[in-house]
Amino acid sequence: MAEKNIYQVADWNGQSGERWVAYQARLDAMLAVFGQAAIEAAAPAMGERVLDVGCGAGASSLDLAVRVGPGGHVLGVDISEPLIGRARALAPQDTPALFQVADASSIELPEGAFDILFSRFGVMFFDDPTAAFAHMRRALKPGGRVAFVCWRGMAENDWVCLPMGAIKGIVPPTAPPDPEAPGPFSFGDRGRVARILTAAGFADITIEPFDASIPLGEGGTRDAAIDDALEMTLEVGPLSRALADQPDDVRARASVAVRAAFADRPGERSVMIDGAAWIVTARNPAS
């Protein structure tokens, strides 16, 4: 039986989407270095048209819009109404970026309309990723480019392994997820990513590791930064799901353990953690 996709449209239009909006500035700060690396890999030029998949609150779309200029166009799509609403609110009036609530795996797009298919951590949630990429490829011009960033393994990313490691022995363990089920780490296997893109019809595929020290939370003092990182982790991500049905005493013990794990990391105004991703590029064949 196929594993249930917990990253559903209803969730992103409910509690998950609302929480991401609440922490949007801190989450975008955490992900910024990865988005910039993917944009450099995409190398957008003035006047080009870009489809930004899973654009969230629009940070990557707005960065891309600066690169393509007023003669270009960026369409940011995301399934979350709260996040698209936030993107529209943050967008400057004169930006060439537009935002649409849509599922990139099924949205109707003009054939050959885009020069670049881009994503900052937005392509790992499709139920059928090969079909989704084949669908999106049709919207690319012949010779059009793909550039996206996706997480590597869970064990390489502190935003998951630090808090989840800290609660071992406090919260009952759950069965590990299917590594290919939709979720943040479903593209962690480089070989799987290559197979998906090849089956979807792309060529010239490159998948390169990218590592960075990234800020989690923020605060005017070190203690405030640690507290903010803890609060954000309790509200957004796997720790929030692991503790959702736990009694208050378990949540309290888990919070103490996670805070201690964050306190072991460096940083004054943020908790600095290690992040590991793939920068993926490919091309739509010219013929």
Side-chain angles (χ1 to χ4, degrees):
M1 181 181 294
E3 183 163 327
K4 178 178 178 286
N5 182 0
I6 64 171
Y7 300 94
Q8 305 237 8
V9 174
D11 192 41
W12 284 110
N13 283 314
Q15 193 172 71
S16 287
E18 291 163 0
R19 287 177 175 177
W20 271 76
V21 168
Y23 290 98
Q24 169 264 316
R26 270 99 98 204
L27 288 164
D28 278 337
M30 175 178 151
L31 302 178
V33 66
F34 296 106
Q36 289 301 318
I39 289 173
E40 292 304 317
M46 285 288 177
E48 289 195 308
R49 299 174 64 85
V50 186
L51 176 63
D52 186 5
V53 176
C55 68
S60 54
S61 299
L62 296 177
D63 287 344
L64 288 160
V66 172
R67 298 285 290 264
V68 302
H73 174 68
V74 179
L75 175 61
V77 298
D78 199 283
I79 61 172
S80 173
E81 291 188 12
L83 285 167
I84 289 294
R86 181 66 170 162
R88 288 169 176 160
L90 293 172
Q93 208 165 24
D94 59 350
T95 182
L98 294 176
F99 298 98
Q100 182 176 346
V101 178
D103 182 344
S105 68
S106 58
I107 181 177
E108 289 188 21
L109 295 166
E111 190 168 339
F114 294 93
D115 300 283
I116 300 172
L117 171 64
F118 179 88
S119 183
R120 188 193 75 175
F121 300 116
V123 293
M124 304 93 70
F125 305 96
F126 298 120
D127 287 316
D128 186 342
T130 299
F133 273 98
H135 173 78
M136 294 185 291
R137 186 173 71 83
R138 289 191 284 273
L140 272 180
K141 294 178 179 176
R145 313 187 301 283
V146 176
F148 65 82
V149 58
C150 58
W151 296 115
R152 295 210 310 268
M154 187 184 302
E156 299 177 87
N157 281 284
D158 284 346
W159 63 272
V160 175
C161 67
L162 275 181
M164 298 309 286
I167 65 171
K168 285 182 178 177
I170 299 173
V171 177
T174 57
D178 178 344
E180 296 190 1
F185 301 103
S186 67
F187 277 24
D189 181 341
R190 187 199 315 230
R192 181 179 189 236
V193 177
R195 290 191 297 273
I196 288 168
L197 293 177
T198 299
F202 290 99
D204 301 329
I205 299 162
T206 68
I207 305 171
E208 298 294 338
F210 183 85
D211 298 88
S213 178
I214 54 179
L216 180 64
E218 63 179 16
T221 65
R222 175 164 171 79
D223 279 346
I226 294 169
D227 288 341
D228 190 64
L230 173 62
E231 178 186 324
M232 189 169 76
T233 307
L234 289 169
E235 293 291 322
V236 178
L239 182 65
S240 66
R241 289 188 289 275
L243 296 179
D245 298 321
Q246 296 300 319
D248 289 345
D249 64 318
V250 172
R251 291 179 61 87
R253 288 169 56 210
S255 295
V256 170
V258 173
R259 192 186 192 284
F262 287 158
D264 280 342
R265 299 296 300 174
E268 292 301 321
R269 301 301 176 92
S270 293
V271 176
M272 300 305 297
I273 60 174
D274 295 330
W278 299 119
I279 302 293
V280 182
T281 60
R283 188 173 295 274
N284 187 22
S287 59

